[in-house]
Structures are given as structure tokens and as C-alpha cells.
Amino acid sequence: MKELNYSYYPGCSLHASAGEYDLSTRELFKALRIGLTEIPDWFCCGATPAHNVDELLSLSLCAKNLELADKVEGDMAVACASCFSRLKTAQHVLGESDVKRKQVEKAIDAPVKLDSNVKHLLEILAKDLGLERLAAAVNKPLSGLKVACYYGCLLTRPADVPNLDCAEAPTIMERVIEAAGAETVAWTHRLECCGANFTLSRPGVVLQLTNAILESAKAAGADCIMVGCPLCHGNLDIRQKEIEGVYSTSYGLPVFYLTQLVGLSVGLGADKLGLDAMMVNPMPLLKEKGFL
Amino acid sequence: MKKKKMVISQETMDVDFVRKVEALSGTSVRRCFQCGKCSAGCPMATFMEHPPNRVVRLLQLGQWQRVLAGRSIWYCASCETCTTRCPNKVDLASIMDALRKLSWDAEGASKESYVQLANKLFLQNIRTYGRQYEMRLAAVFNVKSGQFLKDLMLGPKLLAKGKLKMFHSKNKNMPEIEKIFTRIEEMRKKGEAL
Amino acid sequence: MSRIGVFICHCGENISRTVDVERVAAEIGKLSGVAFATDYKYMCSDPGQNLLKKAIQEQKLTHVVVAACSPRMHEKTFRKAVEAAGLNPFLCEMANIREHCSWVHENREEATVKAIDIVSMMVERVKKNRILPGITVPVTKRSLVIGGGIAGIQAALDIADCGHEVILVEREPSIGGHMAQLSETFPTLDCSQCIMTPKMVDVANHPKIKLYTYSEIELVEGYIGNFQVTIKKKARSVDEDKCTGCGVCMTKCPQKKIPNKFDQNIGMRTAIYVPFPQAVPNTPVIDRDNCTWFKTGKCGVCKKVCGPGAVDFEQQDTLVVEAVGAIVVATGFDLYSIDEKPKGSPIKGYGEFGHGKIPDVIDGMTFERLASASGPTGGKILRPSDGKEPKQIVFIQCVGSRAREKGISYCSKVCCMYTAKHTMLYHHKVHDGQAYVFFMDARTPGKSYDEFWRRSIEEEEAVYIRGMVSRLYQKGDKIVVMGSDIAVGVQVEIETDMVVLATAVQPQKGADLLAQKLGISYDKYNFYSEAHAKLRPVECATAGIYLAGACQGPKDIPETVSQASAAAAKVMTLFSKDKLEREPIVARVREAGCVGCFACKKVCAYGAVEEKEIRDRQGNLIKVVAYVNPGVCAGCGTCQATCPSKCVELDGYTDEQIIAMIEAL
Amino acid sequence: MHPEKTKHDFEPKIIAFVCTWCTYAGADLAGTSRMQYPSNVRVLKFPCTGRIDPVFILKAFQQGADGVLVSGCHPGDCHYIAGNFHARRRFAAFRKLLEFIGVDLNRLQFSWVSAAEGGKWVEVVTDLTEKVRAMGPMVEFKELALEEQWSGAIDTPELKEAYDAI
């Protein structure tokens, strides 16, 4: 079996508000014997704000990061859906437009490298490692846990860019977490937008959108939500109390990163998954289901 | 907003501006045949005075002033739902990006201070530190936007959970990042890029 | 030595006003080979033509050049006159000194010089002209019609009614096609089966029509007037001659739960079946994939109960060869499937509409079966999921059509009208129900069509919403429709019981494979291409093959029937003569030089180039050379310009002739 | 409109290769509409541009043509389905060859003129005539032809002797 080694691009959030995503990713990959080398001195991809107002800057930042990643062996593993989307979009746009590629090459003063493989963690687990090997590594199956997989916007959209899975009816998250022994629920809002970066500038909008998502997950009978994006996590987890207050309701839905749940199934302890960093306390649920 | 009569002539249709939008976004506004699917699925459409399809319609007529005077572009969440579902490959999300970019220099564009401020601070952070520091971003945003108490209750909780880093780490690529910013500024000055 | 006669026409004053015709005649008379040169006021008049004929005989002319108007005008006239005087018509050429000279130049000197040049060119050319014998091709006066839908049925009946034999081949066990599936038809709301089934019976009873159902085209050889078609008759497992159509086998078959394709898989059928009660022929077929006997070797109930002993488990596929002179292709259409993206389909799929996973989201054809009195619900509109009557129903137009990014950019043409019809049928059957239609544009060009659409809104109270739907999702037993109304500029949300998608009309699956067998061309969507979009809309570029119905592009019933009759008329034109005559401007291969590279075959748009084996007297193969079938060649000459060894020649436009013209300058 | 007839020192010889269905008919239309154009052009009719062998163009230049025009149906309108596409591909390659042997490509023009475009025919012919007139006579091939003649002439005693000895 070929050894799996990746260059790791955590993205800014994983070094800050999404520390538990970073921690659980490193621990899970260690447990699965997948090599992960953090790209030295990577910097911000520009995320949504950059392409929102300055596409050239956004493309240049991504192109520079792709160049940095090129120096580390292995495909590029990306945890954050936003970084993933930006890097993939940059590859796509620069591959299609000669004009923009030339502009970016001038901005970064280096040739643009487009051949490196940018992969989201989900892709690595589901395709490179494979669901069979993942299932074989599971020693504490998450039996009886009903998970609502939340894709959000950027993992699959637009149709021909990330190519992670079908843009409208993706199943990759479900397949991964079912391999870990959990059940998944069919729910209506798994692809709806949470408001993402409006969390800073327009929290009112975010509350409205996020409430609809939580409501839908709850109505589908989910015990918890699983995400692959720190922005989604921020809006669903950190703001959950606030939403409950504004809409006078109660959800109590823990929001896990995919690496936390998968990590749990391969036997990693709470300390290695950063479960204590979650705003909605998952402990009661996990104890009730007998996972801890 | 009072609705002014739209006088259409070759003079009032600003094709040059629309061409710029098309060049920046890499998509054609003429392809749109106004099916309205973008507006149907837009999570933010209820907040916009011009729903997405009408933004494209106004561009088709060269009436960009009407688009930029409104807030629609500042309410787009870049979720790409419109682009994904468009039957005609009109990349509306990129058109929105282009419009926000062009609104910087355009006369009469609405100044959607909060979103613009957040974006600006975000980019400044990259230029100064190479990476984002959410604590700093939020704090500066609150100070600059005058909402000192916004999300005040979240701060200590996040700190307790280790979610807000107080200090930034050194990034060896800082000079390189600065160069990227300055080179792009120079290119724009010379008119080599939009 | 040739004796060329040159006749220069004044065309009244049209030519002589600017061209000094006497001088031209004098100059041309000096050219070698020219035996006679004269000018005359009106060459095309009777006296003019008589002058020409007389000169040919008296002067013993071998070739003729008429310098007058454009050959597009009078070439036929003069060639006829030349033929009447006993010369081969292709030894006469025209020099155009009117349209290309006297009418476009004012300077008399310049025009005269140019006229001399033009006539000299034609003199040099005509010296190299050869006698070209006329080409005749025998015609077999039988026709093949492929496809037994309304298009094929109409074409077959029209041809057969004119007294010519027709072979009608249908892939399914019964003829009838999609029209037999429809409930009522726009814009008159007459019942489809009521107007369709009598025609089906006519086909079955027509003495001139030979019907092959459950059969497919295996191979097509030959050319216009002379095709050999190999047809595969698939094993029916029931002897058609013995079967009386009593239907006992079907009532006794224990396999009763097989989804019936004819009912869009909503209704069920048995393993031995006819697709629908009015099927023609009324002979059942055993579906071997689902039959217990064929799966396990046990059962055999049908065989036991069949009185006439028609059930035959041992039956094999058989091949039949038929000789025909013309082929009408009428293979019709298929609807884009709303299920998971089918392999090879140009449409990327509609995940936002659930990929066909929400049971009460159906397509238009399924709605037809629900609304049909002979359908699985007996004509009641009921939800497939729980059999309840939907009180709210949403129709969505342009699913797959007019969506170049999601697959196909063309308009499917019939959806606007059939959806208007659906809203009416729905309102007639569910009086307290409400229909909503999401649409972009209503396309209703047709007799009484727009009135019909307006009626659905004004009288049947369907609510039309201009705007598309972004997403559908199941919420309890309702379906939530997220749409927009672009006229108002707001998002629209409807909780409905049922959704009907007007899915795109596409060519039949395998349309490309059939086209390859027939040697006809097709577009990127696999619709068959007509020879000329405006002037030859029912003919293929391949001579002797005609198109009818939706295999050429989306069409409604009136248009399909018109085109079918038009195709039949074209077949009748072909059959009106015993032999097919055509202009002998065709390519010819010099076999001695041909190296068999077949570059000519690759560029020939008509498939006229064949491979021919050259053998010595002992029968040993010496080489394979190209052979141009004069019956098929259209005379464009592309092969000649392409041939690297210069071994193809287009009669009438040989290199010799053209070089002679250039050298005359 | 009757343009002033001006005398030119040099009248170029233009040969046009056209297809019978579109451009020939277009030229006919120019005639029936009594449009005026320079009389320098000589038209050769082909069934289809697909029939036009590049050798004809070379031959035309060799025979003293100063400019050559090739014109057929618009792309997609070919009477013979795709003959004009074959022609286009062939001439795209041929142009490179002409360029290589040193022919000024401005002397060779390709265009699409439909049966309805009498005006366009006039325009194309007039433009080409003016352009070639400005370029002057095409000497290259004519010189070549002269050279051939010269080398073929038996004009020295040595040659004559050798010739007689055969």
C-alpha cells in the first residue's frame, strides 16, 4: 500500500478560532498513519473578502501559496472549505484565462503552478485512503449517532470547480461518517448558506440564515451537525446560543468538525479532539451514546 | 428609493463599464435570458432591493449606476448558488465580485460601510501580519464601526475556549506579501490590470 | 481537329450596347479550332436556336460556345438545342458576357476586351469537353419506414395508399409510439388514442404494409433506389401466426409486478405482455429478463394455457433482408430522464430538483399517463407516493431545455403547450385544486395555440409565474418549491403536493448508431440533419433517405404528420419513374493510378466513395481502389482536389478543362 | 452613380475562382442589379470551392495573374454540405506554402460571397483590384516563366551541337 503524505495548509482559522479542527486533524491523520507536513510560512488565501473586492489580489495570494506548497512533498491537504474553494477557484480561473494568468505572474513575479493537487480532508479520507480502509481503522463505531452533514456553500460549488462531489446532491460527508459507524439524516438545508463572512458585518443576517439551518437539522431528528468548514462552524456553534435567544427556541445541537467525529470513531480521546473548545457542549450527548 | 424613468439610448447605455465587468468576471451578461433561477435560490435575495436577476438585467441595459447605487452587491454572500444553478453559465457570483471591485472608483456607488470596512480590515490584516487574527479583526471592526458592544459577550467565552489568539506569529514571507500588494498597485496605476 | 462554333448574342441591346459584338466575333474567329463565329440579336429566341442548329449541321461543328447571358439562365436551353442537332449536350458551353461583362462595365473598349477573354476561355475549355452519357439508376419501388410512431405510421399509410409496398419497422412490441401514450392533445383536447388507434389498425390491415414490430435495423447497404436492409426480428417467444390475441396467457402469468414502461413505470404488467390494450399487433411478447421460465426454467404457465400453442420458448432472433428503393427515418424522440444523470447524456442532471428521488416529482409524460383514461389510475390524477389527490400542483417548464450550461440549448418546442393542456386536464379532474406554472417565456406559435394558452390562465385559472425554480425539497408529505417571480422581483415559495417537470425532448437513445448504419448525418445532439434547412427539410443529404418527425428536431403532432406526408411525397416522386436520371457531373476514379489511400472517401459528404477490389484472372487480390458510385455522387469535386495522386476526376470539371481556361488568359 | 473614369498606368489581371451556387450567383446578381466594378476580373466557375485545387492558383499566377480571388458559400451554407470547409482547410495550409515561396499573400484573397450578396461581390472585386494595382505587377512568377523559356532555348553553339548529336 502506497504511503500517504500531504503538504498541509491549515488556513488562518485553524490557527485561531478553529484550533480544535487543527488539533483533531493532526491527531486523526497521525492515527490513520497519513503524513502531514505543514507548509512553512504559508499565509492567508484572502478568503471571501479578497475575491469580493479584488480578484487579482485573491488569485495572486492563492497562486503564491500554491507555489509554497509545491516545495513540500505530496498533494495539498486543505481543511477549511473557504481556503479549499479559493485555491481550487484560482487554479480553475488561471487555467482558463491567459490574461489573468499573466497578470498574476507579474504580481507574484513567478510562474504560476497549476498542476498541484489541492484536496479537501474529505477527499483524502473518502478517496485517497478509501472508505474501506477508513472503516477498518474504526474501533469505536459511532453506532446510534444521528448526524446531519452540513456542506454549506463552498465545498461543492460551483459545479465544475471543486469537483469534490456532485454540486447538488453530494454524499461524500455521509459516506465518510457512515464508514465511521454513524447514521445520517436526510434534511433539507444541508446545502444552504449560513451567511459566512457576514458574521462580522451583518450578524443579523447570519442569525436568520443559521436559524433555518438549525431548525431543519433538528426537525430531521439529528443529534448533532458535522461540518468541514470553520466559518460554518463559527456561525452554527458559536452563535447557537444567541440564535436560541433571539428566536426563543432551544436546539442544543453540538457542531462537530468531521475530524472530531471520525477521530472519535478511531478511538481518540476528548483531549486529542479539542472537544472542550466547542461552545455547545457535546459531552452530555457523547456520554449518553456511550462514546466516552 | 424613488424610481426614475429609464431613458434608453446609446448614450445612456454604458457599454464600456459592462465590458469591464465582463472582463473582470470572465462571464457574459448577454447570455442571461432572465429566467430568474438565480433570484429563486439566493439566500440573500430578500435583503436586496434588486434581486440578482435584475442586477444582470440592469447590466444588460448598461445601467450600472442603478445597480451600484443600491445595496444588492453588498448583500451577496458569495455562496455561488446562482452560478451553480444558472442554466446559461452566467457566473453571477463573479459578476458581483467585479461590481464590488469597480464600485471603489465609481461615482455614486453606495457606501456599504460595514461590509466594506470588514473587507478592508481583512485585507489590511493580510498585508500586516500575513494571516488573519480574528480577535484583532473583530476588535478593530467594532471600534471603527462604532459598535463597541457588539458581540461583547462572545469575547471572553471565546478566549476561555482558546478560540482567540492574542498574539501573532512571525511569518518569513512578509516581504513577499508586501511585494504582491505593491506590484498589484503598480499594475493598476499603469493600467495593466483592472 | 475540333470544329467549334461560337455564337455571340446581342441580347437586344443588353450586350451590344457596351460590347462590340462584331469585333468579338471577328477576334474569336481567328482562334485555332474555331470553324464558325457569328453574332445574332437574340440567340435564345426560336430563330436564334434554329440558327445554332443549322450551323451545327451545315458547318459540321463538333463543339459549341454560346456567348450570352449567365449559364444559370439559359444553359439548359442551348444544351437542349445542341442535343436536338445531334451533338452531345455537354459539348456546349456558355460564356457569360452579360451579367459578368456588359451589365457591370460601362467602358466599351474594356468590356469588349473582357468579352473576348471570356469567350476565348470558354473556347479553350470546350475543346477539352468530353461526351458525357446520361446516368440512369434503376429504382426498386418499395419503401422502408423506420419507426412506428405517428410519423412512421403516416408516412407508411401515404406511401402504401399510392400502391407501393412499405416495410414498417418498429423497435417496441407495438406500433403507436409516444402519441399512443398521450391522454388528450392540444389545442383541441381530443383524445389521443381515439385518433391514433384507428390509424394503427389501418396499418395492420393494409395489404401493402409489411409490419415488423419488436425488430431493429441491423445493416443498410446500397444507395438510392437500391438499398438492401437487414432487419433483426427479436425473439418474441410467441408465434405471431398462431396467436389469436385472446390474452389468457397474460391473465394467468404469475409475474404481475413488473413496472410497465408504457405507463412510465407507474402501472404494472406481467412478464408475457402487450404494452397496452390497443396494441398493434395484439400479439404478446415475453420479457425474458423478468420471466420466471427464462430465469429459473420453471413455471411455463403461459405455454400451458395457450390454446393455439403459440408460446414458443425456443424462438430465436432472426435476420430478414429486404430490398427497398427509399427509406423514411421516423425514429422520434425520448424525454430527458429526471433520474440521476444518465451516462452519455449531454444534460448534467438536476440535483436541485432531487434527481428524481422525490416520488411526487414526475415528468410530463408520467402526467399524461395519470391523466389518460386507459392509464394506471384510470384517468385520476393521484400522487405516486400515497395515491392521494394533489390539491396543489406545480409545473416547471424548461427542465433541461434552453439550458446550454446544464446540457442542451435548444427549445423543446412542445412543453409550453402541453403544460397549458396539463393545467386544464388537472382543473377538469380536480375541481378544487390549484395549478401553478413556473415559466420563462410562453412559446405558442401555432394555429389556435396562443388562444389555448390564454384559456388555461383566464378560464381554467392556472397561475403562471414568470421565473424559474431554484430548488425542490421534501418537507413532510409536501414538496417545497423555491422559485422567483421576476415580474414582481421577489422570491416565491410554494408548498405543493405534486410537481411536474417539463423535461427536454431528446433524440431516441442510439439515434447516432442508426445514423451511422444509414450513412446520414446528425447534429451534436444526435438529431438527424436535413439536406437544407429551408429548401430540403425532409431529405437527408444522403440520396434516397428522408426524415419525418421528431428524430429531426422537437415537433408537435401536426408538424410531425405534415413532415411525414411530405417525406412520403418525396418517396413518391422518386418512385414516379422506373429509372432515376441525373446530370452526369459525377466523379470518376482512374483505377490504374489509385493507390487506395481513400482520402477521397474521408472528404465525401455523401458516402459516394466505396472500396473496390481489383483481382487478376486467377482471382488473386491485386489492390483495393476507390470507386465512386454515380448514383450517390453529388458532383462537388472535393474528392478530386483532395486526391494526392490526381486519380479522381469530376466529369465536366476536369483539370484539363480548367487548366485550358487559365492558359487562355 | 458614375465614378470618373481615370486612366491607370497599370491594369492588373485578376482571376477569380468561384463556386457556382453562391459566389457565381452573387456575381450574376451584381449584373442584374447593374452594379459597376473594374473589368480586370476573369471568373472561373466551379461546382464548389471544394473542387479548387491549389495548383490552379499557382497556374494562374504563372499565367500572369497579378491577383487571385477564391470565393464560395459562407461557412455552413455549402450546397455540398462541407465542401467549403475542406477548401478552407486546404487553403489555410496552402497560404503558408505560398508565403514560404515568397508570394505576397495580399495578392491572394479568400472570401465568402453568397448568392444574395451582389454588393459584396462588387466590393471584394473592387478592393482586390485596387490593392493589387497599388502593389504593381507580380513579377516573380513571370520572371520564372521567362527563365524557363530561356533555359529551354537552344541559343549557344554548344547547345546546338549537343542537341544535334542526340
Side-chain angles (χ1 to χ4, degrees), chain B residues 128-150:
Chain B
T128 327
Y129 305 109
R131 293 181 193 168
Q132 289 310 320
Y133 295 95
E134 288 142 340
M135 170 88 167
R136 207 192 121 76
L137 188 64
V140 177
F141 178 81
N142 285 358
V143 171
K144 295 221 170 181
S145 63
Q147 308 171 60
F148 298 102
L149 299 178
K150 181 175 144 282

Side-chain angles (χ1 to χ4, degrees), chain A residues 41-57:
Chain A
D41 292 297
W42 56 268
F43 53 86
C44 179
C45 68
T48 308
H51 79 82
N52 250 341
V53 293
D54 193 340
E55 194 204 19
L56 181 53
L57 177 66

Side-chain angles (χ1 to χ4, degrees), chain C residues 173 214 236-240 243-250 271-275 281-287 310-311:
Chain C
Y214 211 45
R236 230 182 161 96
S237 316
V238 175
D239 188 325
E240 284 172 273
C243 175
T244 60
C246 71
V248 175
C249 53
M250 291 188 277
I272 184 166
Y273 74 104
V274 290
N282 192 20
T283 312
V285 178
I286 294 181
D287 168 6
V311 175

